[in-house]
């Protein structure tokens, strides 16, 4: 398979980055934290690579789990989003040299073999045409012999459950998100495939730890923030303009979804559960 | 609504209880453990009620999170299953009076108001026609003023993801499980409805903490054990005999599912993810 490079499918517009800023190490990289706790005491200069760092909120919040001499390199393929991530980091009192930002493709990471103790990617493989090649490249730059790991987390668009089960959300919005990913050459059900992809990248089964983690939007503040971000995204994001252009949605469908989100936000018992695949790949010796 | 009493829908036959014995506090009640840790130091005689305790493996493993003077009461509606739970507890070196077993309906718990610090139910509401009444009854016997909680965890049959996505499993088996629950008067998507049901039971939103937890069957030992338990259940369980009798499946469909599970068990990259709704209801003052 030839590795073609896809940009982050739904587009990194302001409406999308806004809700991504809700993400932290604590709510989006829990599976990695025990490995950082294990490595930090005997890896004073721990090097972490955050691939496809996006708006950089997980990147910045991972910094506090590193030893004082630890450093993060954060990559993305978009200059705009790197600027945003750099600006976010600047507000976090991390010290100017804690995180280095770098434009790079996940398929051609500009690093030597084994350069990083930890290689992390969150919601990145879903946007790629060749996720196996990306895992092979991340595995390449992970350091052998020191307990290093590659950490992956991806959603699965079949595993979003809404209450109430409004069709415009449960089938409509979820379906459009899935079609947007695949129409852009990405993967709509990455969550369940991580073990399969890691094996295809040549990693022995014994070096793969698999699990699933969740997001829950139900607490009134979370629910409203998420719903309003989705409305903003449907109103102004590329999912609308590109989706209509590509013929995977219509103006009317978008309007129906906006209306459904507005009602959902006002519903006291509204709940949204999202399941994500989580895999830790041990580099081994 | 009149509360009709449903027996545990798919039937408590040996093929089902076998795979249920895999369940422990650590893999099936993680959301409750911080609350036990919080209560135990200042509740020397902590009383925990495990409603619908089933084969009792979670019950017995919860015992070690209680203070030395803490006690568990475990209820179920089936004499057979209570005997099994009692036998399991006897193998766990817990002391003879640590767990008391009692036949009781969740709709009519034979306890006074506020008798228990913690009331726990795992995969119970899915089998009930009136889950809201059950929550109200569990809430009634939970002690006010001491930080007591009701702890619920239920699966959602729409939230099972298989890899490979074999139709006989992803649609066939999952669908039959869902139909079996609803044909017996239960609920097939309880996971996403827990907040809604707790509100309907009269609990204020501020006393409800909601989240989702998962099970992952992918590690080769887990995967094989689960797959073989499902094959045994399809071959000998009530899901087959009752399912055919009720017209919700056919002999051929069952045979196709058994074949699909056999192939799944032999597939190196096979993964099954299951999402469960988890709710902690605080009793308040």
């Amino acid at each position: 398979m030839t590795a073609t490079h896809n940009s982050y499918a739904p587009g990194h517009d302001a409406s999308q980055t806004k809700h991504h800023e809700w993400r932290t190490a604590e709510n989006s990289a829990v599976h990695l934290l025990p490995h950082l706790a294990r490595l930090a005491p005997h890896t004073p200069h721990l090097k972490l690579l955050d691939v496809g760092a996006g708006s950089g909120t997980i990147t910045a919040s991972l910094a506090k789990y590193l030893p004082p001499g630890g450093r993060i390199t954060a990559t993305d393929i978009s200059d705009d989003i790197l600027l945003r991530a750099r600006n976010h980091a600047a507000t976090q009192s991390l010290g100017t040299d804690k995180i280095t930002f770098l434009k790079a493709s996940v398929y051609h990471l500009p690093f030597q073999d084994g350069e990083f103790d930890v290689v992390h990617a969150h919601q990145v493989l879903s946007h790629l045409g060749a996720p196996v090649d990306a895992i092979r490249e991340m595995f390449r730059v992970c350091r052998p012999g020191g307990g290093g790991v590659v950490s992956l987390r991806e959603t699965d668009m079949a595993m979003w459950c809404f209450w109430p089960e409004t069709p415009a959300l449960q089938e409509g919005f979820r379906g459009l998100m899935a079609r947007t990913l695949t129409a852009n050459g990405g993967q709509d059900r990455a969550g369940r495939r991580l073990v399969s992809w890691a094996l295809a990248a040549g990693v022995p089964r014994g070096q793969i730890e698999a699990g699933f983690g969740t997001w829950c939007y139900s607490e009134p503040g979370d629910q409203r923030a998420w719903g309003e971000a989705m409305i903003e995204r449907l109103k102004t994001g590329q999912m609308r303009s590109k989706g209509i252009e590509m013929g995977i949605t219509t103006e009317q469908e978008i309007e129906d979804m906006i209306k459904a989100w507005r009602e959902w936000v006002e519903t006291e018992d509204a709940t949204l559960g999202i399941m994500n695949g989580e895999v830790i790949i041990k580099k081994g010796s």
Side-chain angles (χ1 to χ4, degrees), chain A:
Chain A
M1 184 196 286
T2 308
T4 53
H5 191 80
N6 308 106
S7 66
Y8 188 25
H12 261 130
D13 50 78
S15 68
Q16 179 168 16
T17 45
K18 190 177 169 187
H19 87 77
H20 284 183
E21 285 167 12
W22 172 84
R23 296 175 179 173
T24 63
E26 293 76 22
N27 66 37
S28 300
V30 180
H31 62 295
L32 175 58
L33 301 185
H35 294 278
L36 292 177
R38 172 176 60 75
L39 288 164
H42 63 86
T43 319
H45 298 284
L46 195 154
K47 290 183 72 180
L48 186 151
L49 174 64
D50 192 13
V51 174
S55 52
T57 57
I58 299 176
T59 323
S61 78
L62 280 170
K64 64 174 161 302
Y65 297 95
L66 265 53
R71 294 291 179 271
I72 296 179
T73 302
T75 66
D76 207 282
I77 49 156
S78 155
D79 284 320
D80 288 353
I81 201 70
L82 279 170
L83 178 62
R84 180 178 273 267
R86 192 179 283 116
N87 287 341
H88 174 75
T91 68
Q92 302 298 303
S93 314
L94 298 171
T96 50
D97 63 344
K98 196 70 180 177
I99 308 180
T100 303
F101 295 91
L102 193 68
K103 185 172 178 172
S105 159
V106 59
Y107 296 127
H108 305 287
L109 295 168
F111 309 112
Q112 298 186 346
D113 293 2
E115 207 169 320
F116 294 92
D117 301 286
V118 174
V119 183
H120 173 256
H122 185 264
Q123 311 296 352
V124 173
L125 302 178
S126 295
H127 303 287
L128 301 178
V132 173
D133 291 346
I135 293 173
R136 197 180 291 115
E137 180 69 349
M138 287 188 271
F139 193 69
R140 179 185 70 76
V141 302
C142 185
R143 188 158 73 91
V149 296
V150 176
S151 164
L152 307 172
R153 189 173 197 259
E154 298 292 331
T155 196
D156 189 308
M157 285 310 310
M159 299 297 281
W160 286 42
C161 68
F162 287 87
W163 184 262
E165 298 180 80
T166 318
L169 299 179
Q170 185 65 59
E171 303 308 326
F173 184 79
R174 192 172 61 91
L176 177 56
M177 291 277 284
R179 290 194 302 279
T180 303
L181 282 168
T182 53
N184 283 283
Q187 315 290 333
D188 66 344
R189 295 193 298 284
R192 74 186 71 187
R193 301 181 70 177
L194 296 179
V195 170
S196 184
W197 288 339
L199 288 167
V203 181
R205 185 62 186 83
Q207 287 170 232
I208 305 169
E209 281 176 9
F212 289 91
T214 66
W215 283 320
C216 174
Y217 301 91
S218 171
E219 191 274 316
D222 287 348
Q223 176 208 354
R224 180 166 295 276
W226 175 268
E228 287 178 353
M230 293 301 107
I231 291 165
E232 190 62 21
R233 193 162 159 185
L234 284 166
K235 284 166 78 175
T236 65
Q238 292 188 25
M239 195 158 70
R240 177 183 206 136
S241 53
K242 278 206 168 178
I244 293 170
E245 186 188 308
M246 290 191 293
I248 61 174
T249 190
T250 63
E251 193 73 40
Q252 184 60 52
E253 198 179 50
I254 296 274
E255 289 304 321
D256 290 346
M257 290 180 205
I258 290 171
K259 185 165 170 285
W261 275 115
R262 285 214 175 101
E263 288 170 6
W264 189 82
V265 163
E266 301 299 335
T267 304
E268 192 190 14
D269 65 350
T271 301
L272 168 61
I274 297 176
M275 191 160 103
N276 301 281
E278 296 174 340
V279 154
I280 293 289
I281 301 173
K282 299 177 211 163
K283 177 71 180 207
S285 51

